[in-house]
Amino acid sequence: MNANNHNTINIAITGVGGQGVLTLAEILAKAALAEQLNVRVGEIHGMAQRGGHVVCTVRIGTDAMGPIIDSGTADLLVGFEPVETLREIHLIKKNGCVLMSSHVQYPVAVSMGTTEYPTHESILQSIRGFTKRIIDFDAMDLAQNSGSSYALNMVMFGAIIGTGIVPISKESALRAIRESFPKKFEKINIQAAEAGFDRVKSCV
Amino acid sequence: MSEFHELLENKPGKKVLLLANEAIARGVLEAGVRVVALYPGTPSSEIGDNLTLMAPHIPNFYFEFSTNEKVALEVAGAAAVAGVRSMMVCKGPGLNVAADPFLTLAYVGVRAGMVIVVADDPSMWSSQNENDSRYYALMGNMPMMEPSDPIEAKSMLLDAFKFSEMFELPVLFRTTTRVNHTRAPIEFEEIPVLPHKVQFQKDPLRFVPIPSVARTRHPWLLSQIEKAREFSETSTLNSTEGQGELGIITSGVSYNYVKESLAQMGIHAEVLKLGITHPIPENKVTDFLRRHRRVITVEELEPFIETHARRLAQLNSIKVEILGKEQGYFSKVGEYSPRIVMEALCRLQNCNTPINWQDIDKRFHGISDIPPRPPLLCAGCPHRATYYAIRTATRGKAIYPSDIGCYTLSIAPPLETADILFDMGSSITTACGLSEVTDQDVVATIGDSTFFASGLPGIIDAVYNQHRMCLVVLDNRTTAMTGQQPHPGTGITGMQKEVPAIDIEKVCKGLGVNYVKTIHPFESIAGLVGKIREMVKWARDNHSPAVLISREPCALLTAADRRRQGIPLPKYYVESETCTACKRCLNRLSCPAMYVDPETEKAVIDDNLCNLCGTCVAVCPQGAIKREEK
């Protein structure tokens, strides 16, 4: 971290439009606000949402002013999909932490055979060129086990808290989930977040 | 996802995490605004999305999704002339649509506060150009404010209404994507009670700008803007902070990047932050230029402040180096970031950047195997079926004028049915022009919301001038691209009132189109292909416009309905034994819910992504795509 920017945690979240990246960013920020922390969220809406690549930023700390996280400044890169994680790997700072779901969602160009999807090992190899701190697990599997593929973002939310990088307690995180969703989805979402939390806690 | 109910709470002091657009919607309440009119446009869309939900709960408040931006500005402008506070909202290109009333509104002025929110889109995240709307303030002599973050988006909005009333002029409230789409903690203030209806006081010699009236109004406008400049000189919205040899003038979101860069690099500088960028506080800027040997101007897009600074330096014979876009320190293209500011500062100071970005870029560009994932039509999007049919019926040989909406994404392979586009409504009018100068068939496509917003004059042109063109109206029952807002064809108003919908078929017939048919693309792809062939032939034979309405609700609406109902429907699947791995389904439709099994090379449908449109069934030559039994 830079000397003059020491009290800001930069979190970049990336995935495919429709995976719930924006919702995760908002809930993460709500939980931060509940902890009395200053926070900024940067989002892009519109064209970027239509099944394309999405990246969202959450900046927590008193020095957070603008929404942008530049290359080499993210403390934590959260990837909902391997290739989308790789697409934003330039954001990670030296020794920053990458939290990645290994579940693949094929881009149309790959389905049409105009390009190939890299192997998982090749993706990990490229990420290692930026940081050695990689937490890699199948979050989609955990989401489905919790009751719905739609809970993927809550698995990732739990996982973020599990890294201990973000100054938000598990209790505040779960409260933010309860306050943000209709009651009928609460059980699945909480279960998903717990699953993500436990999965990551066991490897940090 | 923030609940609109929260925005209605009269709890001064409460702190809530809000998107700047939500903060602006809240500001409407706190400012006592009586009328808001707009046509949705990203990055400003969520302002209307929240106001339409809030509107029925606010006594005496009126909100409408207007037909287009010109209409919206006239509706809101009249309300402010009558004497109640009003607001109009648009994206950058939307202000171009409203340019006509905009420039005259400043001449006649307003009796109560009026704010025009314009959201520019540097980097064009969801726009067809990155025009810098600040020049409208200059051209129209309309005061302008530029908030730098979501907190100012609300606080300055309240200032803008007071400013407007002080000088009887509308205020242009200019934001950019990175302001509109940033969330921050926002503190609520008191909500006042809105006034009831007002009595319109006639004053035609002010509000009807026939030449003799306009000639008196132009000098009035110039004197008002001069008074506004005097105010701008002393306003705390234009303020300096920090000390140092170096001077920096900035406005809007760039202010954050300047502050972050100075802190990170440990550079001392005096920063002049301009909240009111028209009329620019000339004396304040002049004094600032006098205090420094070197002044950097940091602003996205055009050198608006920079040009003012150069003008003032020249006028006052100040020897100062002004560094901005003219010498290439900053770009006119795209949005900025702290990195861009730091790189410019380092170039100026001849030092290394605090982070070795060149090294990061080099390592990153060394990764060659990242497949692209551009935005594309959703799984289950009815446009995919329609475009597939258009392409099949015309064998890809017709000219395909496109329009503004999700469907412009049909530019991508394999649909490739977007050949020309200027602006809202241009599909029809460019088709008119093209049909006169080529012998090719012309099949234009326009969305339902765009049809109402800007399509009708084009249809009248086509009918009256007998242009041989075909139009397919992609009627997905919503304004999809900007987030599912209603339009005159949906039967719901901005006040959430149910009203008779305007029927596109009747409109076309009423305007004199002699070939008008409606089809539902998911009913039969083959039928759709046949109808398009018939339409193209008809237009050619009759040398007149023909219209086909392809009606099917947006896949996102259908999916949301299904989720609400919670009843699982039978799924589609590829029967592996029958699939010959020809990949026709993938290559013709590019549906995001289909992929190739890496081992068998056969097509697979992803249950989590499939929206159950069934278009792929019609495309498979083997009949391998099936649906589960109920």
Side-chain angles (χ1 to χ4, degrees), chain A residues 69-111:
Chain A
I69 295 177
D70 273 312
S71 291
T73 64
D75 297 278
L76 179 61
L77 173 65
V78 182
F80 280 47
E81 205 273 353
V83 147
E84 298 319 314
T85 314
L86 189 55
R87 205 185 302 285
E88 296 301 337
I89 194 61
H90 61 96
L91 294 178
I92 202 76
K93 69 160 61 162
K94 232 183 207 167
N95 300 321
C97 178
V98 172
L99 190 60
M100 175 172 94
S101 171
S102 56
H103 182 84
V104 171
Q105 190 172 323
Y106 289 108
V108 161
V110 172
S111 310

mmCIF file of all heavy atoms in Angstrom, chain A residues 69-111:
data_model
loop_
_atom_site.group_PDB
_atom_site.id
_atom_site.type_symbol
_atom_site.label_atom_id
_atom_site.label_comp_id
_atom_site.label_asym_id
_atom_site.label_seq_id
_atom_site.Cartn_x
_atom_site.Cartn_y
_atom_site.Cartn_z
ATOM 1 N N ILE A 69 -10.483 2.378 -9.547
ATOM 2 C CA ILE A 69 -9.303 1.640 -9.099
ATOM 3 C C ILE A 69 -8.422 1.455 -10.326
ATOM 4 O O ILE A 69 -8.822 0.826 -11.303
ATOM 5 C CB ILE A 69 -9.708 0.269 -8.503
ATOM 6 C CG1 ILE A 69 -10.551 0.464 -7.233
ATOM 7 C CG2 ILE A 69 -8.478 -0.577 -8.209
ATOM 8 C CD1 ILE A 69 -11.065 -0.835 -6.605
ATOM 9 N N ASP A 70 -7.225 2.040 -10.284
ATOM 10 C CA ASP A 70 -6.312 1.942 -11.424
ATOM 11 C C ASP A 70 -5.558 0.620 -11.414
ATOM 12 O O ASP A 70 -5.539 -0.087 -10.397
ATOM 13 C CB ASP A 70 -5.284 3.080 -11.344
ATOM 14 C CG ASP A 70 -5.794 4.349 -12.000
ATOM 15 O OD1 ASP A 70 -6.295 4.266 -13.127
ATOM 16 O OD2 ASP A 70 -5.667 5.422 -11.377
ATOM 17 N N SER A 71 -4.897 0.326 -12.511
ATOM 18 C CA SER A 71 -4.003 -0.828 -12.586
ATOM 19 C C SER A 71 -3.045 -0.790 -11.408
ATOM 20 O O SER A 71 -2.561 0.265 -11.017
ATOM 21 C CB SER A 71 -3.173 -0.775 -13.874
ATOM 22 O OG SER A 71 -3.984 -0.984 -14.982
ATOM 23 N N GLY A 72 -2.790 -1.957 -10.832
ATOM 24 C CA GLY A 72 -1.796 -2.060 -9.764
ATOM 25 C C GLY A 72 -2.214 -1.478 -8.428
ATOM 26 O O GLY A 72 -1.359 -1.198 -7.587
ATOM 27 N N THR A 73 -3.514 -1.266 -8.212
ATOM 28 C CA THR A 73 -3.919 -0.648 -6.942
ATOM 29 C C THR A 73 -5.017 -1.415 -6.183
ATOM 30 O O THR A 73 -5.476 -0.944 -5.153
ATOM 31 C CB THR A 73 -4.402 0.812 -7.147
ATOM 32 O OG1 THR A 73 -5.578 0.802 -7.950
ATOM 33 C CG2 THR A 73 -3.349 1.676 -7.812
ATOM 34 N N ALA A 74 -5.426 -2.578 -6.676
ATOM 35 C CA ALA A 74 -6.481 -3.321 -5.978
ATOM 36 C C ALA A 74 -5.876 -4.227 -4.905
ATOM 37 O O ALA A 74 -4.973 -5.002 -5.175
ATOM 38 C CB ALA A 74 -7.293 -4.151 -6.969
ATOM 39 N N ASP A 75 -6.395 -4.109 -3.685
ATOM 40 C CA ASP A 75 -5.968 -5.010 -2.608
ATOM 41 C C ASP A 75 -6.557 -6.392 -2.822
ATOM 42 O O ASP A 75 -5.966 -7.393 -2.446
ATOM 43 C CB ASP A 75 -6.459 -4.472 -1.253
ATOM 44 C CG ASP A 75 -5.850 -3.131 -0.940
ATOM 45 O OD1 ASP A 75 -4.715 -3.101 -0.465
ATOM 46 O OD2 ASP A 75 -6.507 -2.097 -1.219
ATOM 47 N N LEU A 76 -7.764 -6.392 -3.415
ATOM 48 C CA LEU A 76 -8.490 -7.650 -3.597
ATOM 49 C C LEU A 76 -9.179 -7.616 -4.959
ATOM 50 O O LEU A 76 -9.885 -6.658 -5.280
ATOM 51 C CB LEU A 76 -9.526 -7.782 -2.470
ATOM 52 C CG LEU A 76 -10.430 -9.009 -2.447
ATOM 53 C CD1 LEU A 76 -9.621 -10.288 -2.313
ATOM 54 C CD2 LEU A 76 -11.429 -8.905 -1.296
ATOM 55 N N LEU A 77 -8.949 -8.650 -5.745
ATOM 56 C CA LEU A 77 -9.664 -8.798 -7.016
ATOM 57 C C LEU A 77 -10.581 -10.000 -6.883
ATOM 58 O O LEU A 77 -10.129 -11.116 -6.642
ATOM 59 C CB LEU A 77 -8.685 -8.998 -8.183
ATOM 60 C CG LEU A 77 -9.320 -9.327 -9.545
ATOM 61 C CD1 LEU A 77 -10.169 -8.162 -10.060
ATOM 62 C CD2 LEU A 77 -8.249 -9.673 -10.583
ATOM 63 N N VAL A 78 -11.877 -9.750 -7.019
ATOM 64 C CA VAL A 78 -12.869 -10.815 -6.875
ATOM 65 C C VAL A 78 -13.392 -11.174 -8.261
ATOM 66 O O VAL A 78 -13.986 -10.329 -8.935
ATOM 67 C CB VAL A 78 -14.049 -10.341 -5.988
ATOM 68 C CG1 VAL A 78 -15.056 -11.461 -5.791
ATOM 69 C CG2 VAL A 78 -13.540 -9.828 -4.649
ATOM 70 N N GLY A 79 -13.157 -12.385 -8.703
ATOM 71 C CA GLY A 79 -13.565 -12.796 -10.050
ATOM 72 C C GLY A 79 -14.645 -13.865 -9.996
ATOM 73 O O GLY A 79 -14.453 -14.908 -9.381
ATOM 74 N N PHE A 80 -15.762 -13.610 -10.667
ATOM 75 C CA PHE A 80 -16.878 -14.571 -10.687
ATOM 76 C C PHE A 80 -16.640 -15.668 -11.727
ATOM 77 O O PHE A 80 -17.399 -16.621 -11.806
ATOM 78 C CB PHE A 80 -18.190 -13.861 -11.047
ATOM 79 C CG PHE A 80 -18.838 -13.137 -9.905
ATOM 80 C CD1 PHE A 80 -18.106 -12.299 -9.078
ATOM 81 C CD2 PHE A 80 -20.200 -13.284 -9.660
ATOM 82 C CE1 PHE A 80 -18.719 -11.625 -8.033
ATOM 83 C CE2 PHE A 80 -20.819 -12.621 -8.620
ATOM 84 C CZ PHE A 80 -20.076 -11.785 -7.800
ATOM 85 N N GLU A 81 -15.597 -15.480 -12.549
ATOM 86 C CA GLU A 81 -15.387 -16.394 -13.670
ATOM 87 C C GLU A 81 -13.912 -16.304 -14.034
ATOM 88 O O GLU A 81 -13.327 -15.211 -13.981
ATOM 89 C CB GLU A 81 -16.280 -15.933 -14.834
ATOM 90 C CG GLU A 81 -16.670 -16.974 -15.838
ATOM 91 C CD GLU A 81 -15.654 -17.146 -16.957
ATOM 92 O OE1 GLU A 81 -14.695 -16.350 -17.034
ATOM 93 O OE2 GLU A 81 -15.799 -18.077 -17.722
ATOM 94 N N PRO A 82 -13.268 -17.424 -14.410
ATOM 95 C CA PRO A 82 -11.814 -17.403 -14.589
ATOM 96 C C PRO A 82 -11.301 -16.392 -15.622
ATOM 97 O O PRO A 82 -10.420 -15.580 -15.318
ATOM 98 C CB PRO A 82 -11.495 -18.843 -15.020
ATOM 99 C CG PRO A 82 -12.589 -19.669 -14.442
ATOM 100 C CD PRO A 82 -13.809 -18.813 -14.476
ATOM 101 N N VAL A 83 -11.877 -16.421 -16.836
ATOM 102 C CA VAL A 83 -11.367 -15.521 -17.872
ATOM 103 C C VAL A 83 -11.630 -14.054 -17.506
ATOM 104 O O VAL A 83 -10.837 -13.167 -17.801
ATOM 105 C CB VAL A 83 -11.990 -15.894 -19.239
ATOM 106 C CG1 VAL A 83 -12.193 -14.671 -20.093
ATOM 107 C CG2 VAL A 83 -11.101 -16.895 -19.952
ATOM 108 N N GLU A 84 -12.758 -13.802 -16.828
ATOM 109 C CA GLU A 84 -13.055 -12.420 -16.428
ATOM 110 C C GLU A 84 -12.104 -11.950 -15.324
ATOM 111 O O GLU A 84 -11.803 -10.757 -15.220
ATOM 112 C CB GLU A 84 -14.519 -12.281 -15.997
ATOM 113 C CG GLU A 84 -15.528 -12.593 -17.088
ATOM 114 C CD GLU A 84 -15.140 -12.039 -18.451
ATOM 115 O OE1 GLU A 84 -14.740 -10.866 -18.531
ATOM 116 O OE2 GLU A 84 -15.219 -12.798 -19.438
ATOM 117 N N THR A 85 -11.643 -12.875 -14.510
ATOM 118 C CA THR A 85 -10.647 -12.539 -13.495
ATOM 119 C C THR A 85 -9.347 -12.149 -14.188
ATOM 120 O O THR A 85 -8.731 -11.135 -13.861
ATOM 121 C CB THR A 85 -10.397 -13.749 -12.571
ATOM 122 O OG1 THR A 85 -11.653 -14.307 -12.193
ATOM 123 C CG2 THR A 85 -9.612 -13.342 -11.340
ATOM 124 N N LEU A 86 -8.987 -12.958 -15.167
ATOM 125 C CA LEU A 86 -7.748 -12.704 -15.907
ATOM 126 C C LEU A 86 -7.809 -11.358 -16.639
ATOM 127 O O LEU A 86 -6.827 -10.627 -16.714
ATOM 128 C CB LEU A 86 -7.536 -13.856 -16.903
ATOM 129 C CG LEU A 86 -6.203 -13.903 -17.640
ATOM 130 C CD1 LEU A 86 -5.033 -13.893 -16.661
ATOM 131 C CD2 LEU A 86 -6.146 -15.141 -18.532
ATOM 132 N N ARG A 87 -8.998 -11.034 -17.155
ATOM 133 C CA ARG A 87 -9.161 -9.787 -17.908
ATOM 134 C C ARG A 87 -8.857 -8.564 -17.047
ATOM 135 O O ARG A 87 -8.475 -7.506 -17.550
ATOM 136 C CB ARG A 87 -10.600 -9.700 -18.446
ATOM 137 C CG ARG A 87 -10.753 -8.833 -19.674
ATOM 138 C CD ARG A 87 -12.199 -8.689 -20.084
ATOM 139 N NE ARG A 87 -12.888 -9.927 -20.358
ATOM 140 C CZ ARG A 87 -12.731 -10.659 -21.452
ATOM 141 N NH1 ARG A 87 -11.916 -10.257 -22.382
ATOM 142 N NH2 ARG A 87 -13.386 -11.801 -21.620
ATOM 143 N N GLU A 88 -9.057 -8.676 -15.739
ATOM 144 C CA GLU A 88 -8.830 -7.527 -14.852
ATOM 145 C C GLU A 88 -7.606 -7.713 -13.950
ATOM 146 O O GLU A 88 -7.421 -6.945 -12.998
ATOM 147 C CB GLU A 88 -10.071 -7.284 -13.996
ATOM 148 C CG GLU A 88 -11.312 -6.879 -14.781
ATOM 149 C CD GLU A 88 -11.135 -5.604 -15.594
ATOM 150 O OE1 GLU A 88 -10.251 -4.789 -15.239
ATOM 151 O OE2 GLU A 88 -11.866 -5.427 -16.584
ATOM 152 N N ILE A 89 -6.779 -8.695 -14.251
ATOM 153 C CA ILE A 89 -5.661 -9.008 -13.352
ATOM 154 C C ILE A 89 -4.677 -7.828 -13.226
ATOM 155 O O ILE A 89 -4.004 -7.678 -12.204
ATOM 156 C CB ILE A 89 -4.930 -10.315 -13.792
ATOM 157 C CG1 ILE A 89 -4.003 -10.808 -12.680
ATOM 158 C CG2 ILE A 89 -4.193 -10.156 -15.092
ATOM 159 C CD1 ILE A 89 -4.703 -11.145 -11.382
ATOM 160 N N HIS A 90 -4.657 -6.977 -14.250
ATOM 161 C CA HIS A 90 -3.775 -5.799 -14.187
ATOM 162 C C HIS A 90 -4.118 -4.878 -13.017
ATOM 163 O O HIS A 90 -3.302 -4.063 -12.588
ATOM 164 C CB HIS A 90 -3.855 -5.020 -15.505
ATOM 165 C CG HIS A 90 -5.238 -4.516 -15.804
ATOM 166 N ND1 HIS A 90 -5.622 -3.239 -15.485
ATOM 167 C CD2 HIS A 90 -6.333 -5.123 -16.338
ATOM 168 C CE1 HIS A 90 -6.895 -3.082 -15.836
ATOM 169 N NE2 HIS A 90 -7.352 -4.202 -16.347
ATOM 170 N N LEU A 91 -5.341 -5.004 -12.487
ATOM 171 C CA LEU A 91 -5.756 -4.123 -11.386
ATOM 172 C C LEU A 91 -5.057 -4.466 -10.070
ATOM 173 O O LEU A 91 -4.895 -3.614 -9.206
ATOM 174 C CB LEU A 91 -7.281 -4.227 -11.175
ATOM 175 C CG LEU A 91 -8.173 -3.703 -12.296
ATOM 176 C CD1 LEU A 91 -9.635 -3.931 -11.939
ATOM 177 C CD2 LEU A 91 -7.916 -2.220 -12.537
ATOM 178 N N ILE A 92 -4.637 -5.730 -9.933
ATOM 179 C CA ILE A 92 -4.148 -6.188 -8.634
ATOM 180 C C ILE A 92 -2.825 -5.500 -8.283
ATOM 181 O O ILE A 92 -1.969 -5.283 -9.130
ATOM 182 C CB ILE A 92 -3.999 -7.741 -8.610
ATOM 183 C CG1 ILE A 92 -4.030 -8.265 -7.191
ATOM 184 C CG2 ILE A 92 -2.742 -8.209 -9.323
ATOM 185 C CD1 ILE A 92 -5.401 -8.297 -6.585
ATOM 186 N N LYS A 93 -2.689 -5.137 -7.016
ATOM 187 C CA LYS A 93 -1.420 -4.536 -6.597
ATOM 188 C C LYS A 93 -0.434 -5.642 -6.257
ATOM 189 O O LYS A 93 -0.810 -6.821 -6.140
ATOM 190 C CB LYS A 93 -1.642 -3.592 -5.425
ATOM 191 C CG LYS A 93 -2.020 -4.289 -4.121
ATOM 192 C CD LYS A 93 -1.758 -3.407 -2.919
ATOM 193 C CE LYS A 93 -2.548 -2.124 -2.932
ATOM 194 N NZ LYS A 93 -2.616 -1.509 -1.598
ATOM 195 N N LYS A 94 0.815 -5.274 -6.083
ATOM 196 C CA LYS A 94 1.855 -6.235 -5.715
ATOM 197 C C LYS A 94 1.408 -6.989 -4.465
ATOM 198 O O LYS A 94 1.043 -6.355 -3.469
ATOM 199 C CB LYS A 94 3.142 -5.462 -5.407
ATOM 200 C CG LYS A 94 4.337 -5.983 -6.165
ATOM 201 C CD LYS A 94 5.563 -5.200 -5.748
ATOM 202 C CE LYS A 94 6.582 -5.182 -6.863
ATOM 203 N NZ LYS A 94 7.634 -4.209 -6.638
ATOM 204 N N ASN A 95 1.405 -8.286 -4.515
ATOM 205 C CA ASN A 95 0.994 -9.133 -3.390
ATOM 206 C C ASN A 95 -0.468 -8.982 -2.995
ATOM 207 O O ASN A 95 -0.863 -9.362 -1.898
ATOM 208 C CB ASN A 95 1.865 -8.884 -2.150
ATOM 209 C CG ASN A 95 3.315 -9.180 -2.446
ATOM 210 O OD1 ASN A 95 3.625 -10.137 -3.154
ATOM 211 N ND2 ASN A 95 4.196 -8.326 -1.952
ATOM 212 N N GLY A 96 -1.272 -8.423 -3.882
ATOM 213 C CA GLY A 96 -2.708 -8.346 -3.625
ATOM 214 C C GLY A 96 -3.318 -9.741 -3.708
ATOM 215 O O GLY A 96 -2.682 -10.685 -4.172
ATOM 216 N N CYS A 97 -4.567 -9.852 -3.250
ATOM 217 C CA CYS A 97 -5.199 -11.172 -3.169
ATOM 218 C C CYS A 97 -6.229 -11.338 -4.289
ATOM 219 O O CYS A 97 -7.056 -10.452 -4.522
ATOM 220 C CB CYS A 97 -5.866 -11.317 -1.807
ATOM 221 S SG CYS A 97 -6.736 -12.865 -1.600
ATOM 222 N N VAL A 98 -6.165 -12.468 -4.969
ATOM 223 C CA VAL A 98 -7.157 -12.784 -6.008
ATOM 224 C C VAL A 98 -8.093 -13.867 -5.484
ATOM 225 O O VAL A 98 -7.647 -14.912 -5.025
ATOM 226 C CB VAL A 98 -6.471 -13.270 -7.302
ATOM 227 C CG1 VAL A 98 -7.521 -13.775 -8.301
ATOM 228 C CG2 VAL A 98 -5.655 -12.156 -7.921
ATOM 229 N N LEU A 99 -9.388 -13.575 -5.556
ATOM 230 C CA LEU A 99 -10.405 -14.514 -5.107
ATOM 231 C C LEU A 99 -11.201 -14.882 -6.350
ATOM 232 O O LEU A 99 -11.840 -14.025 -6.954
ATOM 233 C CB LEU A 99 -11.288 -13.777 -4.101
ATOM 234 C CG LEU A 99 -12.300 -14.545 -3.289
ATOM 235 C CD1 LEU A 99 -11.629 -15.605 -2.454
ATOM 236 C CD2 LEU A 99 -13.026 -13.557 -2.371
ATOM 237 N N MET A 100 -11.109 -16.140 -6.771
ATOM 238 C CA MET A 100 -11.662 -16.474 -8.078
ATOM 239 C C MET A 100 -12.542 -17.713 -8.029
ATOM 240 O O MET A 100 -12.172 -18.730 -7.462
ATOM 241 C CB MET A 100 -10.526 -16.699 -9.057
ATOM 242 C CG MET A 100 -10.940 -17.161 -10.425
ATOM 243 S SD MET A 100 -9.549 -17.177 -11.563
ATOM 244 C CE MET A 100 -9.032 -18.878 -11.410
ATOM 245 N N SER A 101 -13.713 -17.617 -8.670
ATOM 246 C CA SER A 101 -14.538 -18.819 -8.839
ATOM 247 C C SER A 101 -14.059 -19.537 -10.092
ATOM 248 O O SER A 101 -13.868 -18.917 -11.139
ATOM 249 C CB SER A 101 -16.010 -18.450 -8.980
ATOM 250 O OG SER A 101 -16.737 -19.611 -9.338
ATOM 251 N N SER A 102 -13.895 -20.839 -10.000
ATOM 252 C CA SER A 102 -13.337 -21.593 -11.125
ATOM 253 C C SER A 102 -14.399 -22.023 -12.136
ATOM 254 O O SER A 102 -14.074 -22.564 -13.188
ATOM 255 C CB SER A 102 -12.608 -22.831 -10.589
ATOM 256 O OG SER A 102 -13.508 -23.591 -9.790
ATOM 257 N N HIS A 103 -15.662 -21.758 -11.832
ATOM 258 C CA HIS A 103 -16.735 -22.182 -12.739
ATOM 259 C C HIS A 103 -16.705 -21.366 -14.038
ATOM 260 O O HIS A 103 -16.757 -20.135 -14.007
ATOM 261 C CB HIS A 103 -18.096 -22.021 -12.059
ATOM 262 C CG HIS A 103 -19.238 -22.489 -12.914
ATOM 263 N ND1 HIS A 103 -19.623 -23.803 -12.982
ATOM 264 C CD2 HIS A 103 -20.057 -21.805 -13.754
ATOM 265 C CE1 HIS A 103 -20.638 -23.913 -13.821
ATOM 266 N NE2 HIS A 103 -20.924 -22.715 -14.304
ATOM 267 N N VAL A 104 -16.640 -22.068 -15.155
ATOM 268 C CA VAL A 104 -16.488 -21.400 -16.455
ATOM 269 C C VAL A 104 -17.841 -21.055 -17.071
ATOM 270 O O VAL A 104 -18.766 -21.865 -17.043
ATOM 271 C CB VAL A 104 -15.704 -22.320 -17.424
ATOM 272 C CG1 VAL A 104 -15.718 -21.755 -18.840
ATOM 273 C CG2 VAL A 104 -14.280 -22.510 -16.930
ATOM 274 N N GLN A 105 -17.947 -19.839 -17.589
ATOM 275 C CA GLN A 105 -19.090 -19.484 -18.436
ATOM 276 C C GLN A 105 -18.500 -19.107 -19.795
ATOM 277 O O GLN A 105 -17.845 -18.070 -19.926
ATOM 278 C CB GLN A 105 -19.878 -18.327 -17.809
ATOM 279 C CG GLN A 105 -21.208 -18.075 -18.531
ATOM 280 C CD GLN A 105 -22.083 -17.067 -17.799
ATOM 281 O OE1 GLN A 105 -22.128 -17.020 -16.571
ATOM 282 N NE2 GLN A 105 -22.788 -16.239 -18.549
ATOM 283 N N TYR A 106 -18.730 -19.953 -20.798
ATOM 284 C CA TYR A 106 -18.051 -19.755 -22.081
ATOM 285 C C TYR A 106 -18.525 -18.499 -22.805
ATOM 286 O O TYR A 106 -19.732 -18.306 -22.980
ATOM 287 C CB TYR A 106 -18.265 -20.973 -22.991
ATOM 288 C CG TYR A 106 -17.516 -22.192 -22.535
ATOM 289 C CD1 TYR A 106 -18.167 -23.274 -21.971
ATOM 290 C CD2 TYR A 106 -16.127 -22.244 -22.661
ATOM 291 C CE1 TYR A 106 -17.464 -24.392 -21.536
ATOM 292 C CE2 TYR A 106 -15.420 -23.350 -22.229
ATOM 293 C CZ TYR A 106 -16.091 -24.424 -21.661
ATOM 294 O OH TYR A 106 -15.392 -25.504 -21.235
ATOM 295 N N PRO A 107 -17.588 -17.665 -23.254
ATOM 296 C CA PRO A 107 -17.988 -16.536 -24.104
ATOM 297 C C PRO A 107 -18.485 -17.078 -25.445
ATOM 298 O O PRO A 107 -18.065 -18.151 -25.874
ATOM 299 C CB PRO A 107 -16.690 -15.743 -24.304
ATOM 300 C CG PRO A 107 -15.715 -16.278 -23.327
ATOM 301 C CD PRO A 107 -16.137 -17.676 -23.011
ATOM 302 N N VAL A 108 -19.354 -16.308 -26.082
ATOM 303 C CA VAL A 108 -19.942 -16.754 -27.341
ATOM 304 C C VAL A 108 -18.873 -17.010 -28.408
ATOM 305 O O VAL A 108 -18.975 -17.948 -29.197
ATOM 306 C CB VAL A 108 -20.994 -15.715 -27.804
ATOM 307 C CG1 VAL A 108 -21.295 -15.878 -29.279
ATOM 308 C CG2 VAL A 108 -22.272 -15.896 -26.994
ATOM 309 N N ALA A 109 -17.828 -16.187 -28.397
ATOM 310 C CA ALA A 109 -16.760 -16.371 -29.385
ATOM 311 C C ALA A 109 -16.140 -17.763 -29.262
ATOM 312 O O ALA A 109 -15.722 -18.360 -30.249
ATOM 313 C CB ALA A 109 -15.688 -15.296 -29.216
ATOM 314 N N VAL A 110 -16.080 -18.287 -28.041
ATOM 315 C CA VAL A 110 -15.542 -19.632 -27.827
ATOM 316 C C VAL A 110 -16.542 -20.671 -28.341
ATOM 317 O O VAL A 110 -16.182 -21.612 -29.045
ATOM 318 C CB VAL A 110 -15.229 -19.872 -26.331
ATOM 319 C CG1 VAL A 110 -14.863 -21.333 -26.077
ATOM 320 C CG2 VAL A 110 -14.113 -18.952 -25.861
ATOM 321 N N SER A 111 -17.833 -20.465 -28.020
ATOM 322 C CA SER A 111 -18.871 -21.402 -28.478
ATOM 323 C C SER A 111 -18.918 -21.470 -29.994
ATOM 324 O O SER A 111 -19.183 -22.509 -30.577
ATOM 325 C CB SER A 111 -20.243 -20.970 -27.964
ATOM 326 O OG SER A 111 -20.202 -20.722 -26.588
#
